Amino acid sequence: MNTQEPSKSPPQRRVEKERTREDRYYVQSLTAQIFLVRQYLSEEGKPGPDDHIIRSFDSRHDAYSYAASLNNGQASAQ
């Protein structure tokens, strides 16, 4: 039995935590024609009233594309 196997678990958990933090930007539908791209401030990645507003759009597609590009850029920067 290898005694070093248990020490492999903490780094795997750390990688999972980093992976969930990659998607820091999300789209909030303010009205039927206004969509906000916001940045999660909470560690849990849940929307909150104090999340930063990054940019607003009048097209849902544009808002989601912009949020995806921010999230993809964030992942490649890490």
Side-chain angles (χ1 to χ4, degrees):
M1 180 176 263
N2 189 348
T3 58
Q4 292 188 1
E5 279 184 42
S7 66
K8 291 181 182 179
S9 294
Q12 289 173 348
R13 278 186 235 143
R14 200 174 318 128
V15 170
E16 289 174 7
K17 192 172 192 178
E18 289 172 7
R19 193 176 306 136
T20 60
R21 294 178 71 194
E22 287 176 3
D23 293 334
R24 296 185 338 179
Y25 302 93
Y26 67 98
V27 176
Q28 176 188 18
S29 178
L30 195 57
T31 67
Q33 297 174 339
I34 299 174
F35 304 91
L36 303 177
V37 174
R38 301 186 75 165
Q39 179 183 13
Y40 291 117
L41 292 182
S42 71
E43 288 293 321
E44 297 85 31
K46 296 181 180 178
D50 296 329
D51 289 350
H52 294 147
I53 297 172
I54 304 301
R55 190 168 169 190
S56 65
F57 292 87
D58 58 1
S59 164
R60 177 187 299 259
H61 174 74
D62 291 346
Y64 278 97
S65 295
Y66 187 76
S69 71
L70 289 175
N71 287 324
N72 290 337
Q74 186 70 28
S76 63
Q78 290 179 354

